[in-house]
Amino acid sequence: VEQDVAQVAQLWKSYQANRLTPDERRLADVYAEHRRQYRDEGLAPAMNALRANDRAEAARIVLTVLPRLFAPLLSDAEALLKLQVDVAKSEYEQANARYESIRALTAGTTLFGLAFSALLGYFLTTGLVRSLGAEPGEVKQAAQAVAAGDLCFRIDLRPGDRASVMAAMHEMSDSLHNTVQAVRRNAENVAAAS
């Protein structure tokens, strides 16, 4: 019994070292006082009577004193346990609410990021196509035709396009075409004059 009392005392000491709410601390203090009374006024006298081989006194203490001292101790333990369950339930609900808030915030942020990326991609793509004046494949095809000397290659411009890469290539192609025509005419005139 004495070893059990010492073990319970050690467990109680480690419990009280934890962070307790004010209500839990109050109930724990009441429980500790009733536990002290049970030990000092019930268990210790019963053990002393047994050691003195006074069975009648030990029986009287066990049958009358210990039950009277144990009733408030049990009530305190039940109240303390109920409070701990209520606090744990409240903390669980708060943690669950925090989780839901963080999850909603994460989902919202992710959706915003996706929408922003899609919108940014759209504006970059349309800006690039507007600067080029056509799809990149069409610009490449026109540049290759002009580089190969095909000055008859038709470069179609979008209505009102005067500042794109395609507009500049169209102007360059027309200028080269006009220069080649002028050189031919001059060559024909020189040939005719000779």
Side-chain angles (χ1 to χ4, degrees):
V1 172
E2 291 169 347
Q3 288 177 346
D4 290 342
V5 169
Q7 186 178 8
V8 168
Q10 183 61 36
L11 290 171
W12 183 250
K13 184 178 179 181
S14 57
Y15 166 75
Q16 287 191 311
N18 291 321
R19 182 184 60 84
L20 305 176
T21 66
D23 288 340
E24 190 175 12
R25 175 68 62 197
R26 183 184 51 77
L27 285 174
D29 290 344
V30 171
Y31 175 85
E33 176 57 28
H34 286 141
R35 186 176 155 277
R36 186 200 59 75
Q37 288 173 352
Y38 182 79
R39 184 190 65 226
D40 294 348
E41 297 172 19
L43 281 180
M47 294 301 295
N48 290 337
L50 287 173
R51 281 190 195 100
N53 209 18
D54 186 354
R55 292 180 188 216
E57 178 62 12
R60 183 192 71 75
I61 293 171
V62 167
L63 295 175
T64 59
V65 177
L66 285 180
R68 177 179 52 83
L69 293 172
F70 186 72
L73 187 62
L74 180 61
S75 175
D76 294 342
E78 288 171 346
L80 193 55
L81 182 62
K82 182 184 180 318
L83 178 67
Q84 288 175 335
V85 168
D86 291 345
V87 167
K89 182 180 178 185
S90 173
E91 288 176 356
Y92 169 78
E93 289 169 353
Q94 290 172 1
N96 201 28
R98 268 193 314 275
Y99 165 76
E100 291 298 327
S101 296
I102 290 169
R103 188 177 81 168
L105 180 64
T106 302
T109 303
T110 301
L111 289 175
F112 174 76
L114 288 173
F116 179 75
S117 296
L119 198 58
L120 182 64
Y122 170 77
F123 284 122
L124 285 174
T125 302
T126 55
L128 181 62
V129 168
R130 189 176 303 120
S131 294
L132 291 175
E135 292 295 322
E138 294 173 32
V139 174
K140 178 182 174 186
Q141 201 175 23
Q144 287 174 338
V146 171
D150 184 1
L151 301 179
C152 295
F153 182 81
R154 184 169 168 82
I155 298 177
D156 295 322
L157 298 178
R158 294 184 176 160
D161 184 4
R162 300 265 186 261
S164 70
V165 171
M166 283 295 272
M169 286 180 39
H170 179 74
E171 190 176 316
M172 178 181 71
S173 178
D174 282 351
S175 176
L176 286 172
H177 182 71
N178 291 339
T179 302
V180 168
Q181 290 298 330
V183 168
R184 277 190 191 148
R185 275 194 308 273
N186 288 337
E188 288 173 1
N189 288 339
V190 167
S194 45

